[in-house]
Amino acid sequence: MRYKLNIIVPVYNEEENLERLETELANYLKIASVPSSVLFVNDGSTDRSQTLIEDICDRNEAFEYILFKQNRGLSTAIKAGFDYTDTELVGYIDADLQTKPEDFNILLEHIDAHALVTGVRTNRKDAFAKKMSSKIANSIRRMFTKDGMDDTNCPLRIIKTDYAKRIPMFRGLHRFLPAMIMLQKGTIVQIPIQHFPRVAGTSKYGFWNRLFGPLIDCFAYLWMKKNYINYEVTKSSK
């Protein structure tokens, strides 16, 4: 297989960030500790994002894209990225570049021993309200999931693809990826990474949908945990 890591980049109306994103990702591919590629998942953008994405992919051999017919949300974009990945490892980073691609190399140092390695943002460069709502939401999710994660919504992580493809995704589940790996008996670890302020574009989440939406999703997770099907085959003639 030509690449070992495929980096998913969900995009929704990020035209102001895409040129800088191309530069950052292209520079990372030159220093990546494993052969890596990029997959843009355009979540039905209504600005010039798609035109810019196609130009970027034309200029860069290791860059590809898929375009949704309409906006379906972040969890759906990540799910599509998992579906379209055929590499051993799959990564994920936000298009706003508040995390840096080079930190994938830090996560890659730990992936052999774990099914999922996720970043935890240190010295976050967000507004107070955003940091506080995230802190409350993370505390609630930890109480429900018992996953021990301090930053379950960190937009920088790497997953072994066979685990990622077995996650039964639903809207909002991107916040529960570590917990869903644990349901498969996979091990997870969080590693400190850099965090930067958003310099262009606008956040797609406000205080209320960052806090109350995840609270409702916690109950969906509890139902899924109770009913989750997981098995291991020890022998087969097939």
Side-chain angles (χ1 to χ4, degrees), residues 31-46:
I31 63 168
S33 54
V34 299
S36 302
S37 59
V38 174
L39 175 64
F40 291 111
V41 181
N42 188 346
D43 186 17
S45 295
T46 57

Side-chain angles (χ1 to χ4, degrees), residues 125-168:
K125 306 298 184 181
D126 289 322
F128 174 79
K130 184 175 181 180
K131 288 191 288 187
M132 184 56 61
S133 61
S134 293
K135 184 175 181 179
I136 295 171
N138 279 320
S139 297
I140 293 171
R141 278 193 291 270
R142 275 199 308 273
M143 181 177 64
F144 276 83
T145 64
K146 313 296 184 186
D147 62 9
M149 294 288 103
D150 297 312
D151 191 6
T152 55
N153 209 27
C154 179
L156 192 83
R157 53 186 43 146
I158 295 175
I159 312 173
K160 289 179 178 173
T161 302
D162 57 343
Y163 283 87
K165 287 182 178 292
R166 292 197 297 266
I167 296 174

Side-chain angles (χ1 to χ4, degrees), residues 114-116 163 178-188 230:
H114 301 281
L116 176 146
Y163 283 87
M180 296 306 298
I181 295 298
M182 290 176 63
L183 289 186
Q184 299 181 46
K185 309 302 181 184
T187 60
I188 60 178
N230 190 47

Side-chain angles (χ1 to χ4, degrees), residues 171-215:
R171 188 179 295 272
L173 193 66
H174 63 276
R175 304 179 183 97
F176 295 84
L177 291 179
M180 296 306 298
I181 295 298
M182 290 176 63
L183 289 186
Q184 299 181 46
K185 309 302 181 184
T187 60
I188 60 178
V189 67
Q190 57 183 1
I191 305 297
I193 61 167
Q194 306 171 87
H195 191 246
F196 302 87
R198 178 186 267 271
V199 299
T202 57
S203 174
K204 309 306 184 289
Y205 293 92
F207 180 85
W208 299 110
N209 60 12
R210 188 179 292 112
L211 186 58
F212 289 104
L215 176 59

Side-chain angles (χ1 to χ4, degrees), residues 2 4 15 20 45 53 58 62 139 162 173 182 190 204 219 227:
R2 186 175 181 185
K4 184 172 182 177
E15 64 178 0
R20 190 166 63 99
S45 295
I53 287 171
D58 285 342
S139 297
D162 57 343
L173 193 66
M182 290 176 63
Q190 57 183 1
K204 309 306 184 289
F219 292 100
N227 295 279

Side-chain angles (χ1 to χ4, degrees), residues 68-161:
F68 284 179
K69 184 176 181 180
Q70 60 190 32
N71 177 247
R72 303 302 296 175
L74 182 55
S75 290
T76 305
I78 294 174
K79 166 82 163 73
F82 291 168
D83 291 343
Y84 277 77
T85 290
D86 59 4
T87 54
E88 178 183 340
L89 303 173
V90 58
Y92 156 60
I93 189 172
D94 272 353
D96 60 18
L97 283 176
Q98 288 194 258
T99 53
K100 291 293 186 179
E102 57 259 35
D103 281 349
F104 277 122
N105 280 353
I106 300 174
L107 304 189
L108 283 165
E109 294 175 8
H110 305 271
I111 193 62
D112 286 346
H114 301 281
L116 176 146
V117 183
T118 185
V120 54
R121 293 166 286 188
T122 57
N123 193 22
R124 285 186 63 173
K125 306 298 184 181
D126 289 322
F128 174 79
K130 184 175 181 180
K131 288 191 288 187
M132 184 56 61
S133 61
S134 293
K135 184 175 181 179
I136 295 171
N138 279 320
S139 297
I140 293 171
R141 278 193 291 270
R142 275 199 308 273
M143 181 177 64
F144 276 83
T145 64
K146 313 296 184 186
D147 62 9
M149 294 288 103
D150 297 312
D151 191 6
T152 55
N153 209 27
C154 179
L156 192 83
R157 53 186 43 146
I158 295 175
I159 312 173
K160 289 179 178 173
T161 302

